[in-house]
Amino acid sequence: MRQYKRPTEQNRDPYQAQPLPVEKPVAVYYRQSSEAQIGNISTTLQTVDMVEHPVRLGWTPERVIMIDMDAGISGTKKINERPGMSQLYQMIEHRQIGAVAAQDVDRFFRDVTQIESNIFMDACRRNNVLVLTPTMVFDFDHPTQGRYHMQMFRDQAQRAADYLEYHVRGRLVKSRHWRSERGMWAGRKIAPGYMVDMREKLPDGSRNPNHRKYIPCEPYAEVIHTYFKLFQEYDGSYEHAWQHIQANGPFYPELTDDLIPEGFLFRQHFNWRSPTTGRLCPSRGGLRFLLVNVVYIGHWIHKEVIVQWHNHEAIVPPDLFLYAYNRLSPTDFHGEVNPDYQPYRPFKRSPKSERNVPYPTYSGLVFSDDIPELSHRRLATSWNSWSQQYQYMLYFPSEHAHLWNIKTHIVDPAVDQLLLERLKATTLDETSWQEAMQDEKQGGHNDVVRIEQEIRRLKQEQTNVIASLGKLTNDEMILRAQAQYEAAAHRIEELTCELDELKSAARRQKVITQARPALERIIEHWERVPAHEKRVLFEAFARHINITRLSRTDKQLTIYWRDDSTSSEIVSRYSIGHYWDDYELAELKQLIEITADQVTILRAFPGYTWRMLIEKYAYHFGGNGKRYNGLYKGELKYPRKTRWEDTDEYKAEEAQTVGVSASTVRYVFTFCVTAA
């Protein structure tokens, strides 16, 4: 069923322009194409005059919003590529303004495709926003004139784009490129150390062959030459050379126009000054760019390509320039890989042959769980060039930092000692040795039975494959059956070799018989065993080493043996200048104030004498200048120079022999058989 609507009233007169929305804010848009244009007469027209223009039309100064974030941005860019235009577009869409003003339409857009200008006009039309220029008020939402205003705005934006495309780029820029391709200065920045010869004719009236070409500017040229020498003196470190220049110079001279010869052009475009002296000098990046600029050996560059070789007079000798170029540029003059590239390396790895310390024995076998999110983290082995020692380091891969480190000369001897104790306990314990021999014999018998059963099963599998071949007609199934038969045959061959090895009881018995005397000789001459052989022994008996940080100086070293047992020892780095952690001081304070026995206190702080502990307590908690005498109220069993390692209790604990299981001894047999 058709539904009818109430007739709409025409609120606007189609033959009159709507009044200016002075009750709403107006935005003034400012844009300059390049930074070089900022501050010219156009800047004044767009900022000062255009701000006064809405005020003359009826807006109050408080309602005029200046948008000046697009200084140095081309009008060919899209709306979202210009921060000022993006802000203006959002204000239009949110109906925060009633009008937008600019010096001309080309300040808004120079878009050849007209896509961005149409988007802008559509937003103004939908939100009833006027566009003001000094000569026109565009009302894209006008009932009768809206389409005409849109066409006018589009035509003016098109003319601005055409001017840019055909006149600026097609003629002016093309002429500039023509000059630059022929080695002539075309208006760009002048390299420090040079000035431009602007004379078309020489004094005798003849044509000047160096017209618009670089000529050395003597005060600057000498400074540039010195910069290259400094770079060479600092062995190719431009950072060190730059720091020297910042502090000691030489600095760029302060030249004025009256010091430049007539007919020559000099432009000082750099303004970096030394924070130490306040004088002109290159910035850090400027020095690096200067040292690889081929203009200083007479070549001319256009669009990053050398277009004229030996175009003007050089101010740096070729060998001196190439020294700097080959240390800073990975590409040669043609853009290819520079075969002579030798970058400066401030931290050179010292050759291992020049280190007087042997390489760590257990590198790659040491782990730590101190990083919760990286459990069982392998410790890196690094060379400490300051202390001239190797160290195991717990490294944070994401933060490029380490949590802690410990010198290898502390860890490796401790591991050697624990390994020696394990060898002694394994070899000298007669009961464990006999149990291991019985286990070895029983284990060998069990292996023989297992392998014989596996061989019988594989042979039966081959028989079944042969029996099924007569029933197969599919080629793919026949190929699969053949592959299954060949795989079984290969496995039977491997098991047969293993069975022959197990049945050689005489050889195995001989190896086991010789294992014990061999280990006894190793134990007797332990100090003479090479480091790589100790590592082989360790890998035969143990899986890995784990280190846990207990305090700043103490770390717990735990060895995980292959029989699932462990051995632990606390290793310490003692230093008189060690600063104790807060919890260490709190523990010492508590033990002394509760009058714990002397042995307990010494056990808690191994490596420190009794006197050192009491003096540490007196320094932090004694107060009133008390000496350490009389601070401890308990019974003193040992003199003041006694350490925990000197007490009878420590020796008694060390004397206790830790039982070794037969499985540990069996690893000895495995190791000896493998070695044999």
Side-chain angles (χ1 to χ4, degrees):
M1 181 177 178
R2 176 175 301 195
Q3 295 183 1
Y4 298 95
K5 298 181 180 180
R6 182 184 300 274
T8 58
E9 297 181 1
Q10 186 70 27
N11 296 326
R12 294 184 56 183
D13 187 344
Y15 301 102
Q16 290 185 0
Q18 66 171 318
L20 297 176
V22 293
E23 71 281 357
K24 294 183 179 180
V26 58
V28 177
Y29 180 71
Y30 161 73
R31 183 190 65 79
Q32 288 284 60
S33 299
S34 63
E35 294 183 1
Q37 297 175 353
I38 299 175
N40 59 13
I41 187 62
S42 177
T43 301
T44 305
L45 293 175
Q46 294 186 64
T47 55
V48 179
D49 289 1
M50 280 310 300
V51 171
E52 296 176 353
H53 182 67
V55 176
R56 290 194 297 267
L57 295 177
W59 273 277
T60 61
E62 294 77 13
R63 294 184 181 273
V64 179
I65 302 173
M66 186 69 194
I67 300 178
D68 56 357
M69 293 180 289
D70 288 349
I73 298 180
S74 172
T76 60
K77 292 184 177 295
K78 298 180 180 180
I79 293 176
N80 58 3
E81 294 176 344
R82 291 186 270 168
M85 177 56 72
S86 298
Q87 179 182 353
L88 177 62
Y89 185 79
Q90 293 299 324
M91 295 173 69
I92 294 172
E93 289 288 4
H94 292 87
R95 301 193 174 188
Q96 297 175 355
I97 56 177
V100 55
Q103 178 63 30
D104 202 348
V105 174
D106 63 1
R107 296 302 90 196
F108 290 111
F109 299 100
R110 289 181 181 267
D111 184 15
V112 176
T113 63
Q114 294 292 304
I115 295 175
E116 299 299 316
S117 56
N118 284 323
I119 293 174
F120 176 79
M121 286 188 294
D122 180 66
C124 293
R125 181 189 61 80
R126 288 186 287 103
N127 297 283
N128 194 20
V129 175
L130 303 181
V131 178
L132 280 64
T133 65
T135 59
M136 182 66 185
V137 176
F138 295 92
D139 184 1
F140 305 132
D141 192 39
H142 194 277
T144 59
Q145 302 295 321
R147 292 176 59 85
Y148 174 67
H149 287 185
M150 293 176 69
Q151 187 62 43
M152 288 181 59
F153 188 91
R154 190 180 293 113
D155 290 344
Q156 292 187 31
Q158 185 66 52
R159 285 196 298 270
D162 292 343
Y163 176 81
L164 185 66
E165 183 71 20
Y166 297 109
H167 181 74
V168 176
R169 293 177 179 171
R171 298 181 63 182
L172 300 181
V173 175
K174 185 177 180 180
S175 300
R176 177 180 295 179
H177 288 174
W178 184 88
R179 279 180 172 175
S180 184
E181 289 171 358
R182 286 153 181 78
M184 293 187 288
W185 180 76
R188 62 185 179 184
K189 294 179 180 179
I190 302 175
Y194 284 103
M195 55 185 177
V196 180
D197 191 349
M198 301 298 294
R199 300 172 300 170
E200 295 185 12
K201 295 183 179 181
L202 296 176
D204 58 1
S206 60
R207 177 180 174 276
N208 184 7
N210 293 324
H211 176 55
R212 284 187 168 269
K213 290 190 176 182
Y214 275 0
I215 300 296
C217 183
E218 290 305 327
Y220 272 86
E222 184 179 354
V223 172
I224 297 297
H225 186 246
T226 306
Y227 288 166
F228 280 86
K229 286 185 176 180
L230 283 173
F231 181 78
Q232 187 179 42
E233 292 175 3
Y234 280 100
D235 297 327
S237 172
Y238 87 93
E239 180 67 26
H240 291 162
W242 181 74
Q243 291 176 0
H244 174 92
I245 294 170
Q246 292 283 293
N248 307 301
F251 301 100
Y252 290 140
E254 303 279 355
L255 293 183
T256 56
D257 294 339
D258 57 333
L259 299 177
I260 304 301
E262 185 178 356
F264 293 86
L265 177 64
F266 175 84
R267 288 181 179 176
Q268 182 175 296
H269 58 81
F270 39 84
N271 55 7
W272 178 269
R273 293 184 179 272
S274 168
T276 305
T277 63
R279 299 182 62 182
L280 284 172
C281 62
S283 62
R284 180 185 280 105
L287 178 64
R288 187 183 184 93
F289 180 78
L290 181 147
L291 293 172
V292 295
N293 194 349
V294 296
V295 72
Y296 293 114
I297 54 174
H299 305 327
W300 186 258
I301 305 172
H302 176 66
K303 293 184 177 180
E304 305 301 326
V305 177
I306 300 178
V307 294
Q308 295 291 332
W309 300 79
H310 308 291
N311 179 71
H312 51 270
E313 183 180 350
I315 60 177
V316 178
D319 55 344
L320 185 59
F321 177 83
L322 287 176
Y323 177 88
Y325 188 87
N326 290 333
R327 279 156 180 77
L328 295 176
S329 177
T331 58
D332 60 10
F333 293 166
H334 302 281
E336 305 294 336
V337 177
N338 187 0
D340 300 322
Y341 181 48
Q342 298 177 356
Y344 174 74
R345 300 185 183 277
F347 303 105
K348 295 182 179 180
R349 184 187 297 273
S350 59
K352 294 182 180 179
S353 58
E354 298 180 2
R355 302 173 185 175
N356 298 323
V357 180
Y359 195 75
T361 306
Y362 304 104
S363 175
L365 299 175
V366 188
F367 297 82
S368 178
D369 299 322
D370 284 359
I371 304 179
E373 61 274 14
L374 295 174
S375 60
H376 200 60
R377 174 76 177 170
R378 190 190 304 273
L379 300 187
T381 304
S382 62
W383 172 255
N384 191 319
S385 58
W386 181 79
S387 62
Q388 295 293 301
Q389 293 285 345
Y390 283 102
Q391 61 187 13
Y392 295 127
M393 183 171 62
L394 182 57
Y395 185 72
F396 276 110
S398 59
E399 300 180 10
H400 301 286
H402 68 277
L403 183 61
W404 52 257
N405 63 73
I406 184 171
K407 298 296 188 294
T408 58
H409 68 79
I410 298 176
V411 175
D412 287 3
V415 176
D416 290 345
Q417 184 62 31
L418 291 174
L419 177 60
L420 178 60
E421 293 174 0
R422 178 54 61 109
L423 289 176
K424 288 181 179 179
T426 302
T427 307
L428 301 179
D429 189 350
E430 185 67 27
T431 303
S432 299
W433 186 268
Q434 294 300 330
E435 290 178 0
M437 291 185 66
Q438 292 297 327
D439 291 345
E440 178 67 20
K441 183 177 180 180
Q442 183 64 31
H445 175 71
N446 295 337
D447 290 339
V448 169
V449 174
R450 176 183 57 79
I451 293 175
E452 288 179 345
Q453 291 177 352
E454 181 69 12
I455 291 176
R456 286 196 295 270
R457 186 189 66 78
L458 292 171
K459 288 183 177 179
Q460 182 62 39
E461 182 179 333
Q462 286 181 318
T463 303
N464 296 337
V465 171
I466 294 174
S468 64
L469 286 177
K471 302 178 182 180
L472 299 177
T473 58
N474 185 281
D475 293 340
E476 183 178 355
M477 296 181 65
I478 294 174
L479 292 175
R480 291 184 178 179
Q482 181 181 357
Q484 183 179 359
Y485 183 88
E486 292 176 353
H490 181 68
R491 179 59 180 161
I492 290 173
E493 183 180 356
E494 291 180 350
L495 292 175
T496 302
C497 295
E498 187 176 350
L499 183 62
D500 294 340
E501 179 68 21
L502 288 174
K503 288 183 177 180
S504 59
R507 178 176 176 274
R508 177 173 294 277
Q509 188 66 29
K510 181 179 179 181
V511 170
I512 294 176
T513 304
Q514 294 176 349
R516 191 172 188 181
L519 286 176
E520 289 176 349
R521 288 195 297 271
I522 290 175
I523 294 171
E524 182 180 358
H525 304 286
W526 181 251
E527 298 299 330
R528 295 164 56 185
V529 176
H532 68 276
E533 294 186 8
K534 290 182 180 179
R535 182 186 176 97
V536 173
L537 280 170
F538 179 86
E539 292 178 341
F541 280 83
R543 293 189 178 94
H544 66 274
I545 306 164
N546 188 281
I547 298 180
T548 303
R549 184 182 185 272
L550 302 179
S551 66
R552 183 165 182 166
T553 57
D554 299 335
K555 294 178 177 64
Q556 182 174 356
L557 185 150
T558 304
I559 297 179
Y560 290 82
W561 304 104
R562 293 190 179 274
D563 63 348
D564 296 329
S565 63
T566 59
S567 299
S568 299
E569 181 177 339
I570 296 177
V571 292
S572 302
R573 173 182 60 85
Y574 304 120
S575 174
I576 297 176
H578 161 60
Y579 292 95
W580 285 33
D581 294 331
D582 292 339
Y583 71 88
E584 293 177 312
L585 293 172
E587 182 182 5
L588 176 64
K589 181 176 183 292
Q590 180 183 9
L591 290 175
I592 291 181
E593 291 182 355
I594 66 174
T595 319
D597 62 89
Q598 186 185 23
V599 175
T600 301
I601 298 175
L602 288 173
R603 181 187 285 109
F605 302 96
Y608 291 92
T609 64
W610 177 254
R611 175 174 179 173
M612 292 171 63
L613 295 176
I614 297 300
E615 286 185 343
K616 179 67 69 174
Y617 174 82
Y619 177 79
H620 289 278
F621 310 108
N624 299 325
K626 284 187 178 180
R627 299 292 296 170
Y628 69 91
N629 295 328
L631 288 177
Y632 179 68
K633 305 299 182 181
E635 181 181 355
L636 296 177
K637 183 179 179 180
Y638 295 101
R640 61 182 184 178
K641 293 185 179 181
T642 304
R643 302 179 307 154
W644 160 243
E645 292 80 1
D646 302 328
T647 61
D648 296 336
E649 288 77 4
Y650 173 81
K651 296 175 182 178
E653 291 181 5
E654 290 295 310
Q656 294 179 0
T657 303
V658 180
V660 181
S661 63
S663 59
T664 301
V665 186
R666 187 167 184 175
Y667 284 111
V668 180
F669 299 151
T670 304
F671 168 72
C672 294
V673 170
T674 304

